[in-house]
Amino acid sequence: MQKINKNVVLALLSLTSLVFLLFQLYYYKFYLSQKNGAVFSKVRGSQSGQDSTRWHVVRKFLGLIASHNIPVYLIDPLILGLVDKDIEQIKSSPDGPSPECKYFCAPRDFTTFALLDKTWRHEMGLFRTAEKMGFQWLKIINKDPRLDGMNDLSGIEIPLHYIFKLASHAIHLVVFYERSGNYLWHGPLRLKQHMDRKFVPFRKLHFGRYPGAYEKPELLLVSIDDLKVQIPKNPSNFLEEMSHSRFLECRYREARAFFQLYPDDASLDAVEFRKKAKSLLHLAALTLNNLGVKFWLSSGTCLGWYRQCNVIPHSKDVDLGVFIRDYKADIIPAFQKAGLPLKHKFGKVEDSLELSFQGEGDIKLDIFFFYEEDDHIWNGGTQAKSGKKFKYLFPKFTLCWTEFVELKVHVPCETLQYVEANYGPDWKVPVKTWDWKSSPSNVQYNGVWPVDEWDDVIQIY
Amino acid sequence: MDEWKLNPAIKPHKKRSWYLAWKYKLMNQRTLRKLCQTGAVLFLLVTVIVNIKLILDTRRAAYEEEEESAQDYDDELLNVEVPRHPVSNKKVLDVEVYSSRSKVYVAVDGTTVLEDEAREQGRGIHVIVLNQATGHVMAKRVFDTYSPHEDEAMVLFLNMVARGRILIFTIKDEGSFHLKDTAKNVLKSLGSQVAPFLSWRDMWTFVGKKGGELYGEKHAKSPALSTWGDPVLLKTEVHLTSMEDAECHWPDTELNRRRKRFCSKVEGYGSVCSCKDPTPIEFNPDPLKDNKVFDVPVAVIAGNRPNYLYRMLRSLLSAQGVNPQMITVFIDGYYEEPMDVVELFGLSGIQHTPISIKNARVSQHYKASLTATFNLFPDAKFAVVLEEDLDISVDFFSFLSQSIHLLEEDESLYCISAWNDQGYEHTAEDPSLLYRVETMPGLGWVLRKSLYKDELEPKWPTPEKLWDWDMWMRMPEQRKGRECIIPDVSRSYHFGIVGLNMNGYFHEAYFKKHKFNTVPNVQLKNVESLRKDAYETEIHRLLGEAEVLDHSKNPCEDSFVPDTEGRVYVMFIRMEQEADFTTWTQLAKCLHIWDLDVRGNHKGLWRLFRKKNHFLVVGVPASPYSSKKPSSVTPIYMEPPAKEEGAVAVPAVAAAEQT
């Protein structure tokens, strides 16, 4: 009996599965071929391992932009990654025909190019030609952040992204804009309500989740897979930059609201202080960048950026943060060379290091070194006369780019937590009297330096 | 795959004879049975795999679709598009036109497109032009034909309107006093039957098509000299034509698409919208060799004077060495027509919410425009600042290209300006000559970014201060003793007649006769000698060779300067201290140059031309050049006239007028 059951079950199962399988094969083909979009191409690609559609689309696109004299360069991270491996070979044979399609044939949904603004204005003609060539296009515009800081200019939108789609492949063209602070910026990709959300699988785009900031790249004309394209001269640098390029815009609207509540100090002293603070920050940034030391705006300077997009006129100093792992012994001589003598040095590399440099006209540049622990980050403070140590705790943070007084600088991406840790929930209210030992809400008493170390850990000039 | 083995409790199915037979047969062939079982298992496995793949694929596809629209790719702002009214297919427009002493209005399909009941203004004939296909208002004008010459302007305007447009006329208060026959005939040719007989204080409304039908006309005669005609209300219907008929058939190019867009929206720009041989909107002037200002951004400061802007941009885009990509037009207010003009020329325009009033509004607009310019062009070290009521000389950029390095190198310079305040037809001569002056003329000038960012922007007058930006810039606190470089012959021409600080009389007196360079590629000759110290050497040389004029003569008389050409003359006037301009002001007045405040001076020295001779005026003893005065010469003193009654108060500002 058992045996009979087993066979019956077996037969029945086989039958149902056969039917099911047939149905599914049919459905699979029907449903997916109808989509005819990315998914299908991917399936086909993974079967063949090659995708000449992509190569053709890229070639057509390059033809299109060449016919309109629009200089673009390749920033597709996947291709640049491959190119980087063979960079020497590619550089050495700029014109040679390539035996196989190595770069532009890997099956992908899109290829990413960059465009520097300034270089074009009449896009309608381009779109028309593109349409004639069979491209579908999508343009993503948004507010011009370069004018966002100004309260009363409005209605200015600039193109941030273009997508040209042909068959199953799309070209993502990211528009880079030059901004104050000598860097390039690209905007986030945000769809407006009426836009076609299925135009391409937006999620998978390599650029556009966040705005990004980049150095101006040097370009190189190369021929890869028989296509002539411009690429960043140093692809690995570019890729490295890309991995932490996220950019935060200053909160201009909130800053305006702040100034509504607390009108800006327009006195001559304030103007003068801001001017000096700005040039001190520029000098400090130049010095640290030359040394390759990564830094960010900290304490009052960070608060000024976050709250009012400007230097707080009564802050009287400029504060920077540096991870202790980035510490270099050359920092002090480099600043001295730049005309900023060391004013005091507290702590040591192992513990609570803090450097102060004397800027022009009473302005102090403070560099706090930050120590990373498992669940928090901290920096130290030292009271000179008593040798007391203090510790300021911050939640962990990562670094983002921003623009501040015409400078591209880092700030903690999680700025609100950072500012709140430092200044408490009332950071929006300006405070003129500030005691660094007691006012911060994240300060902890951290013992006293042993007296025999004082000469080393408390140096005042 | 164990499932089926572990499932012994499945109920036996109803047996059938064929099935049983088959089964027993199989049971007897164990190998075959085993084979079948393995086959089935394999089959099942394949099914399961395909199944899973399918589920994954479809889910991913579905996920992507959903996620594409996921939040972080959505614009956080809900851009709710206002549903546009579908282009009405209605072929008929209802037009209402009202004319009376104190009020006029025009309504098209129930929408008021003109309403003027303000007292003491809007007198004359109001004209509205409608697009014959869409019914949109393309132009609105008022011609005060009570006053002279306004009828000529009206004729000019009506001639510019394209054939087929719908014209609506209505009179407010009085519109016939200076309405001459020419104008009346033009109105008659448009189909008006009443126009030839329009007379004092008549009320009149008229709707017609240019070169075509009369849609309606009403007229009320004034019964007596002291009274007005009764208000008239004209209600009529206008038949719209098809879009095709309303447009010209220019070849389909990028330029013509812009032209078409423009011409379907606005009227009154003349031949730019002619169907036959329209005037070009792209000029392609010769590029400049070694152009040092090709990458300098140009900010055009504009208000709501689109016709001025049109004229200004034409001249700007025709100047040699212009780089249209660097031009941004800043419009103070959300006016459509100036923006249309900007788009016609393919330039970029930015609109600015007006802040404050009058002069302060202009100041705030300037500030916003300058800040925006340097934000948009972060690489720029300079910006060229222009206004919408300036003609730009053909060698404007050539002039700047040759002199801009001075602004970069000489810290004692405040600006380079294209405008010479004292450069009138009779006082300017040499287009290759430059001066240093202590005043800031504006009207087409170059601003250094560092000056703006470090000094001016942080302390720019706030909106509640009703200051002129240019007066503020001229204040010693800002200027700090620095000077501007100007040409002898101006590279800009101020043609604006209506404006905030401007009117016809004022323009006639101070701007109309200004000399304007029209020669291309002028090679500037004394550029290097304009540096701070070199200029002093130059002045001393000049004074050394200058002939002292006869100080016994009246300096206002033409005979004061001999009838020579190309000589250098000097005169000395009394100037007790640095700020004593009593004599200078009188002299300026009689020479018919700028006398409203002191302009164009350099250490108590003025340089101009008289009768094609270089003419130097030195203020003694305040000027350091007083030492050049021969001891025998007594400086001329001119007394200010006794205070006249009801002296005309003319605003002492002319650089920043805007509506």
Side-chain angles (χ1 to χ4, degrees), chain B residues 98-104 116-126 142-146 170-177 198-204 220 222 225-231:
Chain B
Y98 183 78
S99 163
S100 71
R101 178 195 168 185
S102 56
K103 175 181 177 175
V104 285
D116 184 350
E117 45 186 333
R119 289 163 59 95
E120 314 272 321
Q121 59 183 27
R123 176 183 58 200
I125 303 181
H126 290 249
V142 53
F143 300 99
D144 180 13
T145 43
Y146 170 81
T170 176
I171 287 183
K172 184 180 178 190
D173 191 355
E174 213 299 308
S176 73
F177 188 49
L198 268 183
S199 59
W200 176 250
R201 287 185 175 172
D202 284 359
M203 293 300 131
W204 174 63
S222 156
L225 217 54
S226 58
T227 55
W228 285 262
D230 292 331

Side-chain angles (χ1 to χ4, degrees), chain A residues 174-189:
Chain A
V174 184
V175 191
F176 282 78
Y177 289 89
E178 209 175 314
R179 295 189 46 177
S180 307
N182 201 26
Y183 67 101
L184 298 182
W185 172 92
H186 76 76
L189 194 153

Side-chain angles (χ1 to χ4, degrees), chain A residues 240-259:
Chain A
E240 210 276 322
E241 229 189 323
M242 184 182 162
S243 61
H244 47 80
S245 63
R246 186 177 164 194
F247 181 88
L248 290 183
E249 204 63 64
C250 199
R251 302 155 70 244
Y252 295 111
R253 216 172 340 146
E254 288 81 356
R256 282 201 285 277
F258 174 83
F259 283 124

Side-chain angles (χ1 to χ4, degrees), chain A residues 318-382:
Chain A
V318 171
D319 305 312
L320 301 180
V322 173
F323 284 121
I324 194 69
R325 63 177 136 90
D326 294 327
Y327 172 78
K328 285 187 181 159
D330 312 344
I331 291 179
I332 298 174
F335 271 105
Q336 267 158 347
K337 217 171 156 190
L340 301 174
L342 187 65
K343 192 170 181 220
H344 52 241
K345 177 185 172 191
F346 293 133
K348 49 188 179 179
V349 176
E350 299 76 36
D351 185 9
S352 303
L353 185 64
E354 179 194 339
L355 301 174
S356 284
F357 297 93
Q358 185 60 56
E360 176 207 350
D362 274 2
I363 306 185
K364 192 158 61 93
L365 171 73
D366 290 328
I367 301 182
F368 303 107
F369 289 86
F370 283 67
Y371 297 79
E372 283 178 276
E373 305 291 341
D374 287 338
D375 60 342
H376 69 279
I377 296 176
W378 63 274
N379 73 309
T382 299

